[in-house]
């Protein structure tokens, strides 16, 4: 038997790791489990639960995205999240973006119709081309097996008329640069 981990939370006990084990044991009629009681702060408990699930490889990028967003909304700073999840700010920001994508994109990602990178490209293209219809491109990826680069190229061609013109004057390092067309 592999023990579950619990911690004291005031007068109560909180299950930190082992929810699936407890559920499985209940299903086979057992009502006891071996447990280890640890003194853990909220951060330590969260990190322990997260690392156990990560070790099992049971999280998808979408699961990670929702976990990061939930922790962020609960008041965790990006610096704290970097420690808890062991990821860079860039990766955490990417996951948060995934969790905020429209339901159709999240469903396609969860079903495996598109990859995480496809979802990121769809997001980037929607920012660039506001009229982009996610369902059209999700369908194209699913039916035609478009690679990420093929998806990017096809969207760019399809929305060429929406492309914003480049500015004639840009500032780089405090110097104005003029572009000639």
């Amino acid at each position: 038997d592999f023990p579950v981990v619990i911690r004291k939370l005031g007068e109560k006990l909180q299950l930190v790791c082992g929810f699936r084990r407890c559920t499985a044991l209940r299903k086979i009629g057992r009502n006891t489990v071996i447990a280890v009681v640890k003194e853990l702060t909220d951060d330590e408990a969260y990190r322990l639960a997260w690392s156990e699930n990560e070790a099992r490889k049971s999280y998808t990028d979408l699961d990670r995205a929702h976990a990061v967003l939930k922790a962020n909304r609960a008041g965790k700073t990006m610096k704290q999240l970097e420690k808890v999840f062991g990821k860079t700010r860039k990766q955490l920001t990417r996951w948060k973006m995934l969790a905020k994508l429209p339901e159709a994109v999240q469903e396609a990602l969860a079903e495996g119709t598109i990859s995480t990178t496809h979802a990121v490209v769809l997001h980037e293209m929607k920012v660039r081309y506001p009229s982009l219809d996610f369902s059209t491109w999700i369908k194209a990826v699913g039916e035609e097996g478009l690679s990420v680069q093929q998806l990017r190229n096809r969207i760019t061609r399809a929305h060429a008329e929406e492309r914003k013109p480049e500015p004639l004057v840009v500032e780089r390092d405090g110097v104005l640069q003029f572009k000639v067309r």
Side-chain angles (χ1 to χ4, degrees):
D1 286 328
F2 191 72
V4 299
V5 177
I6 59 176
R7 71 176 179 151
K8 286 187 178 182
L9 207 56
E11 295 297 313
K12 296 181 179 185
L13 294 174
Q14 180 187 46
L15 181 63
V16 176
C17 297
F19 177 79
R20 288 187 177 116
R21 277 170 271 162
C22 289
T23 302
L25 288 169
R26 270 190 229 114
K27 282 185 180 182
I28 62 170
R30 287 187 48 194
N31 58 3
T32 59
V33 64
I34 297 170
V36 173
V37 180
K38 292 190 175 193
E39 287 187 35
L40 300 167
T41 65
D42 288 345
D43 280 349
E44 291 167 335
Y46 194 82
R47 200 168 321 153
L48 183 60
W50 174 261
S51 63
E52 181 177 282
N53 283 321
E54 271 293 285
R56 265 199 328 274
K57 306 281 186 219
S58 60
Y59 283 140
T60 65
D61 281 347
L62 200 52
D63 293 330
R64 291 178 185 97
H66 286 289
V68 167
L69 187 61
K70 182 179 178 182
N72 192 231
R73 286 181 175 162
K76 298 280 185 210
T77 65
M78 290 300 276
K79 195 136 203 83
Q80 290 171 317
L81 293 175
E82 286 177 43
K83 281 184 181 177
V84 169
F85 292 97
K87 298 294 179 186
T88 64
R89 181 176 300 259
K90 182 178 179 178
Q91 183 62 52
L92 294 172
T93 302
R94 181 179 181 180
W95 283 345
K96 278 176 51 179
M97 178 274 301
L98 286 177
K100 293 177 181 179
L101 286 171
E103 193 174 319
V105 179
Q106 289 191 36
E107 283 176 10
L109 187 55
E111 292 166 359
T113 306
I114 63 172
S115 69
T116 298
T117 313
H118 283 108
V120 170
V121 167
L122 286 171
H123 169 73
E124 291 169 356
M125 295 288 110
K126 182 70 169 177
V127 169
R128 188 177 299 164
Y129 308 116
S131 70
L132 183 133
D133 176 41
F134 287 123
S135 58
T136 299
W137 296 105
I138 290 169
K139 185 176 177 182
V141 170
E143 290 178 357
E144 301 173 41
L146 298 179
S147 70
V148 170
Q149 190 59 50
Q150 289 169 328
L151 175 64
R152 187 186 316 269
N153 292 343
R154 294 255 310 261
I155 291 173
T156 301
R157 281 194 305 273
H159 291 269
E161 70 281 354
E162 285 182 58
R163 195 172 299 149
K164 296 176 185 172
E166 287 188 51
L168 292 174
V169 179
V170 293
E171 181 182 346
R172 287 198 179 97
D173 300 323
V175 177
L176 290 179
Q177 295 181 354
F178 296 89
K179 292 188 177 185
V180 180
R181 289 189 187 178

